[in-house]
Amino acid sequence: MLKYMLKFLMVIFFMNFMMIKNKMGMFYYNLSFLVSFMMLFVYMFKDLIWVDLFLNMGVEFYSIWLVILSGWIVGLMMMCLNKWDGKLMFMFINLAVLLIMFFLSVDLLTFYLMFEISLIPTFFLIIYWGGNMERLSASYYLMMYMLLISFPLLIYIMKIYLFSLSLKFSLVSMIMYMYDYSLGGFLMIYLAFYIKMPMYIVHIWLPKAHVEAPVYGSMILAGVLLKMGSYGLIRLLEVFIYMSMKFNYLILSLSIIGSVMVSMLCLIQVDMKSLVAYSSVVHMNMMLCALMTMYKLGSLGAYIMMISHGLCSSGMFYMVNLFYERSGSRLLIFNKGMMSKLSSMMLWWFLLCVANFSFPFSLNFFSELMILMVILNWNLCMIIYLMMVCFMSGAYSLYLFSYVQHGVKSYGLLKFNMSLMKEFLVLIMHFYPLLVLMLNLVMLM
C-alpha cells in the first residue's frame, strides 16, 4: 500500500520539474485533485494500515483524510491564480509535499521537522505576496510564535528518545504511556501545537496572518495548516495518555472561555476577512475542548470538524476575496447590498455561512453535535458556555451574510464584473465534499 503513497509523493515532487516546460495551470490543479481522489482507494485498505512502513512514513486512521484534504486545498489554491506564476506554483507544490509528509510521518523527529519546515513557504506567501505593509509584522508574529515555542519541544523529543530508545510513535506510546511529567513538561510538549491551532491567548498571530496573506495563503492556512496542530495533539495525546488527563482541565477551561470571548469579538468586526479568521479561532477552541476530554467520541468529533472547517473556512476566505476584488475593500460597509450587484453569488455565500455555524445537515453539524455531547458528558456546568458559543456562532455568521447581501449600497463602484465559471467551480468544490461526506459519514469512522 505504501508504494502507492510514495508514487503520489513522487508525482507531486516531479511537478516541480514539469514547470520548466509545461506552464498550463489547469494541468497542475487537475493532477492535485486526481492525487487527492486516488487516496480514497488507499483508504479501502485501512485495516492493513500499519502493516506497510517505509522511509519513516505510513498511513494512519487519523491521517488519511487530512492527506486527501491537503491535496484538495492545494488544487483549489492553484485554481485561484488568474495567470501563470512559476514562483507561486513552486511554493504550492512544495507546500503540498511537506504537508503530506507531515501527515504520513510515523517518526517523532520527521514529524517535528515537517511541522516546522512547513512554516517557511507560509512565511514567504505572506511576506512576498501579501498586500499591505503590515504583512511584515504579521509574518514576524508568525515566525516568533512558532519558532520560539517549538524549540523546547525538540529538546523534549531528545529526552523522550533517552527514555524509550526509539522515536517511532507505535513504540514510544507502548513505553511512555505511564510516563510522569510536571506542568512545565506538559507545556513544553503541547504548547507548540496549541499555538498552531491556535488556542485562546496565543491566537493573536492568526488574524494578523490571515488579513495580510493573499487569498491562497488564507486558504492553505485555514484549510490545512491549522489542522497540523490538532493532528499533532491527537498523536501525542495517545503517547502521554495518563499524564495528559492530569492537566487537560486547565486547557479545556481556558478554551471554553476563549470561545465565548472570541465569539463576542466576531460581532464587532468591521473587516470581513478578520471576522472569518476569528470564527476559525472559535471553531478550533471548541475542537480543542473536545480533544481535551480524552473521550473517543471527542477525538472523532474533533477529527470531523478538522475536515469540515478546512473546507468551509477556505471557501469563506475565497468568497471574501471575490468581493474584495470587485469593491476594492474588505470592510463590511463598502460591501453592503451586494445582492443587487452580484446576485449569482448569494446562494454560495448563504450555504457557506450556514455551514459555518453548523446548520443541519452540514458536516459541521455532526461534528459540533459530537463535541457538545462530549463536553456536556465531561461536565454539565459547561452548558451555559456552550449555549453562548452556539448562539454567538449563529449570530455572527448571519450578521456577516445579511450585512453583505442586504441594504442599500451607497459606496464604491456602481458596475461590477459578472462572476466567472471558474469562481463557481471553486465554490462548488469547497461545498460538495461537505455534502458528500455528510451523506456517507461511515467513511470518517
Side-chain angles (χ1 to χ4, degrees):
M1 180 189 64
L2 201 74
K3 64 176 180 280
Y4 300 121
M5 303 297 308
L6 291 172
K7 282 177 184 174
F8 294 149
L9 274 174
M10 287 299 108
V11 165
I12 297 174
F13 179 72
F14 280 109
M15 283 160 75
N16 284 314
F17 300 105
M18 295 178 207
M19 284 196 296
I20 299 167
K21 293 288 183 186
N22 183 5
K23 292 189 165 70
M24 288 176 62
M26 188 185 288
F27 170 78
Y28 296 99
Y29 63 70
N30 280 324
L31 202 55
S32 295
F33 292 136
L34 183 65
V35 166
S36 186
F37 182 72
M38 291 296 285
M39 284 293 297
L40 289 172
F41 296 105
V42 176
Y43 188 75
M44 291 176 186
F45 304 101
K46 68 181 192 301
D47 296 329
L48 305 171
I49 243 161
W50 278 110
V51 174
D52 212 358
L53 299 176
F54 179 62
L55 287 177
N56 293 338
M57 286 190 288
V59 193
E60 189 242 355
F61 292 119
Y62 284 112
S63 65
I64 183 82
W65 280 98
L66 292 167
V67 174
I68 294 169
L69 181 69
S70 302
W72 197 259
I73 297 287
V74 168
L76 289 168
M77 286 162 64
M78 291 176 182
M79 284 183 81
C80 290
L81 297 180
N82 294 324
K83 61 179 188 294
W84 175 262
D85 188 335
K87 292 176 191 169
L88 258 180
M89 292 296 284
F90 178 77
M91 285 291 173
F92 291 167
I93 291 163
N94 289 298
L95 191 54
V97 172
L98 291 171
L99 288 169
I100 291 173
M101 285 183 72
F102 171 78
F103 292 125
L104 296 183
S105 299
V106 296
D107 183 90
L108 250 174
L109 201 57
T110 317
F111 183 80
Y112 173 81
L113 286 173
M114 295 303 134
F115 185 74
E116 289 308 312
I117 294 169
S118 64
L119 181 65
I120 298 168
T122 320
F123 180 80
F124 280 115
L125 281 177
I126 295 172
I127 208 162
Y128 192 82
W129 284 279
N132 306 320
M133 275 310 292
E134 286 82 13
R135 69 182 187 275
L136 296 171
S137 65
S139 51
Y140 290 149
Y141 261 88
L142 179 72
M143 194 64 94
M144 288 302 108
Y145 264 94
M146 299 299 169
L147 290 183
L148 290 177
I149 308 296
S150 64
F151 185 66
L153 175 62
L154 180 62
I155 296 167
Y156 221 90
I157 287 172
M158 295 300 111
K159 190 176 179 183
I160 290 168
Y161 182 69
L162 288 176
F163 273 85
S164 59
L165 298 177
S166 172
L167 287 175
K168 296 286 181 287
F169 277 113
S170 49
L171 295 172
V172 169
S173 57
M174 283 194 285
I175 296 162
M176 304 289 287
Y177 74 102
M178 288 293 282
Y179 177 69
D180 194 3
Y181 52 62
S182 63
L183 180 61
F186 175 78
L187 291 176
M188 281 176 77
I189 293 169
Y190 291 118
L191 200 55
F193 302 111
Y194 292 148
I195 285 175
K196 195 87 166 183
M197 286 188 65
M199 186 179 75
Y200 181 63
I201 293 180
V202 287
H203 70 285
I204 303 297
W205 66 270
L206 183 74
K208 280 183 173 293
H210 269 309
V211 168
E212 300 310 323
V215 59
Y216 28 82
S218 290
M219 284 168 70
I220 195 71
L221 201 56
V224 188
L225 289 169
L226 297 188
K227 313 301 171 286
M228 292 171 78
S230 327
Y231 178 68
L233 271 180
I234 289 173
R235 297 303 295 271
L236 285 172
L237 285 171
E238 288 175 355
V239 174
F240 301 105
I241 188 159
Y242 286 109
M243 286 311 292
S244 297
M245 293 170 79
K246 184 176 171 183
F247 298 111
N248 276 358
Y249 72 95
L250 296 169
I251 304 299
L252 198 151
S253 49
L254 184 64
S255 295
I256 198 81
I257 295 290
S259 295
V260 176
M261 300 286 281
V262 179
S263 297
M264 292 186 202
L265 199 59
C266 284
L267 286 168
I268 58 164
Q269 293 302 312
V270 293
D271 186 323
M272 292 192 291
K273 205 169 189 183
S274 167
L275 197 154
V276 179
Y278 277 113
S279 77
S280 289
V281 178
V282 177
H283 283 105
M284 290 294 106
N285 277 277
M286 288 290 286
M287 195 187 81
L288 184 56
C289 290
L291 273 180
M292 291 296 107
T293 59
M294 301 292 282
Y295 290 137
K296 177 66 180 170
L297 189 64
S299 302
L300 184 63
Y303 183 55
I304 297 175
M305 183 165 266
M306 284 188 217
I307 310 298
S308 59
H309 173 266
L311 292 161
C312 176
S313 191
S314 172
M316 288 192 78
F317 278 116
Y318 183 71
M319 184 73 83
V320 167
N321 185 67
L322 292 185
F323 280 32
Y324 172 60
E325 285 176 348
R326 287 163 171 78
S327 67
S329 173
R330 286 192 303 262
L331 295 178
L332 282 163
I333 192 81
F334 289 117
N335 290 281
K336 195 171 170 63
M338 282 292 190
M339 194 192 291
S340 58
K341 303 291 178 190
L342 209 62
S343 54
S344 54
M345 285 291 174
M346 190 190 74
L347 175 67
W348 296 105
W349 193 257
F350 175 74
L351 288 173
L352 288 168
C353 278
V354 295
N356 196 42
F357 74 84
S358 309
F359 187 80
F361 291 86
S362 62
L363 191 60
N364 302 56
F365 169 71
F366 292 102
S367 64
E368 199 155 306
L369 203 60
M370 289 178 188
I371 286 169
L372 294 180
M373 286 158 58
V374 162
I375 296 171
L376 290 177
N377 191 33
W378 187 77
N379 190 342
L380 198 58
C381 296
M382 291 287 183
I383 193 165
I384 303 161
Y385 300 107
L386 291 175
M387 283 168 65
M388 290 173 73
V389 172
C390 291
F391 172 75
M392 295 283 184
S393 182
Y396 64 69
S397 296
L398 290 174
Y399 159 69
L400 177 63
F401 171 75
S402 59
Y403 203 101
V404 169
Q405 296 299 326
H406 298 281
V408 180
K409 185 168 176 62
S410 55
Y411 301 96
L413 300 172
L414 294 175
K415 291 184 179 177
F416 282 82
N417 298 325
M418 289 309 290
S419 306
L420 302 172
M421 185 62 76
K422 185 188 77 172
E423 293 169 357
F424 284 117
L425 198 57
V426 173
L427 292 168
I428 290 166
M429 292 183 79
H430 273 112
F431 192 75
Y432 183 68
L434 285 174
L435 200 63
V436 170
L437 288 174
M438 184 201 78
L439 295 174
N440 192 2
L441 267 178
V442 74
M443 295 173 83
L444 287 169
M445 299 297 182

